[in-house]
């Protein structure tokens, strides 16, 4: 199945963007009368029929739509972008494939990378969503530092911080519960510094391990995401 | 911590290979008398002292050694190489980081890719092992097709085949047990064909799902690997 993306379909935008139109008409060679599946990234999928097969702005009529089932849990990963940005893009793609509701990037005190192209990440997210046949695009945000991310975490979210600490036997697998609205923070290559850890603990975050292995930042993010999915599956 | 690799250290090869020597002496600027950590990829780590700091063949004396704890489980992933080989390399790196004992590549009937550079994969495996501070290199093998892989699976291995089948509610998470010696088969982009599935079922493999999402080959491989690690952690 091939999905197309039009975020404003509910607001009456019954056309494909230039990029999507080109792919639809030039590459897949669709024509008037063909039906397509279009998602809006907010949890709805539409069956539409092409009324004008234009390679820059394909028009369509909506035939029917369905909403994705509301899930009883919410997975939020707060992660510091990696030095090699491909690793963060990889995390983003894989997390969306496996299932994630929100990704918050932040620059840690030990982060070597102090910038990220959020627009590029959004684009990557759209293709990952389409590829994995999902209707919902995760919320993707950027915070300049950990305190600013933490100040935006809702009180009712269960809060975890991935931290390698051999004195602390608590694993995310044991700490997290099914049907939780939860956030896991993953530090940069140089990990969180003491101040950041202290702040998180003072704001109700629990330190958790992510298994027995030393993991890179992007692997830790994915492992946290998959662990929460498994607990809820 | 920085690990070096010398597979034949037990057999008396008390030197670093050319590549490792160069990294040790030229990049890290080690000199005579410095101590290093060297692993043999078979579960042992050695503390050694440099006796000749040669950039092509660094010599050392072994001071002490320790063996890694034997784990009560064994994780074997049989996976078809992906069309874009980077995705398979990524799977290899991440599986080693998370923990895997054996990776068997095979070409499925629907595989678009019909070749793989095993030597390159071995090299990638060595760097992933060193990076994640492990002492053990997974066994990496190649089979020309699924029947040949299946004929080499030991009888006592618990056998699973990842297969998207909405009539079959069994998930790997439920099917697999802790302390098992297990294998999970992951098909190529075009999935297994009916004949391959039939063969696997006739040889005692159980069809399992890997969650609610449609996953790419390499993501499915990693999800299977992480699921088995979580069950055993």
């Amino acid at each position: 199945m091939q999905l197309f993306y039009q975020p404003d379909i509910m607001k009456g935008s019954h056309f494909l963007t230039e990029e999507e139109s080109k792919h639809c008409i030039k590459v897949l060679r669709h024509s008037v009368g063909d039906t397509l599946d279009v998602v809006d990234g907010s949890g709805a999928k539409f069956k539409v029929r092409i009324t004008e097969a234009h390679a820059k702005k394909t028009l369509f009529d909506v035939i029917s739509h369905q909403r994705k089932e509301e899930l009883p849990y919410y997975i939020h990963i707060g992660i510091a972008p990696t030095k090699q940005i491909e690793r963060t893009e990889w995390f983003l793609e894989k997390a969306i494939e496996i299932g994630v509701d929100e990704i918050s990037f932040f620059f840690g005190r030990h982060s070597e990378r102090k910038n990220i192209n959020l627009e590029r990440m959004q684009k990557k997210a759209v293709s990952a969503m389409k590829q994995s046949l999902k209707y919902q695009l995760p919320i993707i945000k950027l915070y300049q530092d950990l305190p600013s991310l933490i100040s935006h975490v809702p009180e009712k979210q269960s809060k975890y911080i991935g931290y390698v600490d051999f004195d602390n036997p608590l694993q995310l697998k044991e700490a997290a519960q099914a049907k939780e609205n939860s956030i896991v923070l993953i530090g940069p290559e140089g990990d969180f510094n003491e101040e950041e850890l202290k702040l998180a603990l003072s704001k109700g975050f629990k330190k958790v391990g992510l298994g027995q292995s030393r993991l890179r930042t992007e692997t830790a993010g994915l492992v946290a995401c998959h662990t929460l999915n498994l607990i809820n599956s």
Side-chain angles (χ1 to χ4, degrees), chain A residues 53-70:
Chain A
H54 196 289
K56 290 200 171 172
K57 192 175 178 180
T58 295
L59 304 184
F60 57 72
D61 282 342
V62 172
I63 304 168
S64 63
H65 86 282
Q66 60 181 106
R67 287 204 69 79
K68 120 181 198 302
E69 220 183 309
E70 283 279 332

Side-chain angles (χ1 to χ4, degrees), chain A residues 9-189:
Chain A
I9 191 167
M10 278 293 208
K11 294 184 195 151
S13 295
H14 291 184
F15 58 88
L16 297 179
T17 58
E18 187 166 341
E19 203 183 322
E20 296 277 87
S21 293
K22 189 175 158 197
H23 186 65
C24 179
I25 306 304
K26 292 280 182 194
V27 181
L28 301 173
R29 303 198 162 273
H30 279 297
S31 52
V32 169
D34 285 359
T35 58
L36 307 174
D37 292 296
V38 183
V39 296
D40 68 353
S42 308
K45 188 176 77 167
F46 301 78
K47 184 71 75 185
V48 311
R49 181 170 288 121
I50 298 176
T51 55
E52 196 179 328
H54 196 289
K56 290 200 171 172
K57 192 175 178 180
T58 295
L59 304 184
F60 57 72
D61 282 342
V62 172
I63 304 168
S64 63
H65 86 282
Q66 60 181 106
R67 287 204 69 79
K68 120 181 198 302
E69 220 183 309
E70 283 279 332
L71 294 174
Y73 57 90
Y74 189 88
I75 297 177
H76 181 182
I77 306 289
I79 190 167
T82 50
K83 196 174 155 194
Q84 291 176 277
I85 198 67
E86 301 74 30
R87 295 186 171 269
T88 297
E89 292 177 1
W90 165 86
F91 157 76
L92 183 89
E93 175 188 320
K94 296 306 174 195
I96 292 173
E97 255 185 85
I98 292 171
V100 68
D101 298 287
E102 185 167 350
I103 295 174
S104 294
F105 294 112
F106 69 93
F107 303 115
R109 296 294 287 273
H110 289 167
S111 282
E112 289 191 59
R113 169 176 292 277
K114 296 289 189 191
N115 61 68
I116 189 167
N117 183 337
L118 210 61
E119 205 183 313
R120 186 177 155 91
M121 290 291 159
Q122 298 280 6
K123 276 198 165 183
K124 291 265 169 195
V126 169
S127 12
M129 171 188 71
K130 286 161 55 180
Q131 161 70 27
S132 53
L133 303 185
K134 296 198 185 287
Y135 312 172
Q136 188 136 13
L137 200 60
I139 297 166
I140 300 180
K141 288 190 182 158
L142 172 62
Y143 298 93
Q144 287 307 313
D145 54 26
L146 187 66
S148 130
L149 192 174
I150 286 180
S151 72
H152 284 85
V153 174
E155 199 42 59
K156 68 177 171 48
Q157 237 168 42
S158 298
K159 301 175 186 72
Y160 307 104
I161 179 166
Y163 195 77
V164 178
D165 179 349
F166 294 105
D167 296 340
N168 176 31
L170 189 66
Q171 292 283 319
L172 176 61
K173 176 197 171 189
E174 314 296 344
Q177 306 289 323
K179 303 188 181 177
E180 266 185 358
N181 178 332
S182 52
I183 177 168
V184 185
L185 300 177
I186 305 292
E189 278 93 343

